[in-house]
Amino acid sequence: MLALLAAMDAMHEQVEALLQDIDTIVSPHAAPNDALVLLMASWLGLDRYLDGTADSPGKGTPSFRAGTRQLRLLEAETARLGRARGTRGALTRQLELATGLTGFEINDDDGRPCHLDVRAPAAARPLAKLVERIIEGERPAHATWSIEFAEAPNALDPAPDPAPEPVPTPAPEASEP
């Protein structure tokens, strides 16, 4: 009987070890590989923002246009963003997390009822399809929207003066014991 129990224990060791570390496996930041991060995106309803190898959602091997690092960050905040869904703050934060860029502005007080004017930074232009899918998916259902990308700075324009270097603060001296 002891031999049978020992054999059964050996059969379950691998599964039990896996279950012991399940928190690290389903954490977006600790997921061991990109394939699992992409799978978690579908569990969280973010698969509508994934591109396939055919450059369209749901076709071919999935990928995230802005990179897996950004997808991990987006997955980590999905629950919080879901609670605030439909608000300017949540939409702005989702765009920032998904693209890794700041500078998105959402205006809803231009006189048109239920309309969002989204202004995106120039650096987001290569991610325009992703930005548009996020706005379409996360805006209030009754709202219309338009998007405008900021102009990229002209290479011929003089560069702005660089910000002054911060003055280094001396490290505190260690006290002797």
Side-chain angles (χ1 to χ4, degrees), residues 31-106:
N33 58 52
D34 291 350
L36 186 55
V37 174
L38 292 166
L39 179 62
M40 281 191 284
S42 67
W43 294 345
L44 296 170
L46 299 173
D47 51 342
R48 62 184 178 258
Y49 305 131
L50 301 180
D51 289 316
T53 50
D55 201 27
S56 65
K59 303 271 196 268
T61 305
S63 66
F64 190 65
R65 190 174 295 266
T68 311
R69 178 181 179 278
Q70 293 310 128
L71 185 57
R72 287 176 188 262
L73 294 171
L74 184 58
E75 287 176 358
E77 285 200 39
T78 294
R80 190 182 64 75
L81 291 169
R83 288 189 294 273
R85 188 171 184 199
T87 65
R88 273 189 293 178
L91 180 55
T92 302
R93 183 69 179 145
Q94 189 148 14
L95 289 167
E96 290 173 347
L97 286 168
T99 62
L101 302 169
T102 58
F104 289 92
E105 298 172 15
I106 300 173

Side-chain angles (χ1 to χ4, degrees), residues 99-160:
T99 62
L101 302 169
T102 58
F104 289 92
E105 298 172 15
I106 300 173
N107 182 11
D108 63 355
D109 58 2
D110 68 349
R112 291 182 282 180
C114 303
H115 182 80
L116 301 176
D117 282 316
V118 179
R119 183 160 170 83
R125 192 175 298 276
L127 301 170
K129 286 182 181 180
L130 174 62
V131 170
E132 290 169 1
R133 284 201 309 249
I134 290 173
I135 295 168
E136 183 65 30
E138 302 301 325
R139 67 178 167 78
H142 63 281
T144 58
W145 61 276
S146 59
I147 187 167
E148 177 186 341
F149 288 90
E151 293 295 321
N154 188 341
L156 300 177
D157 290 341

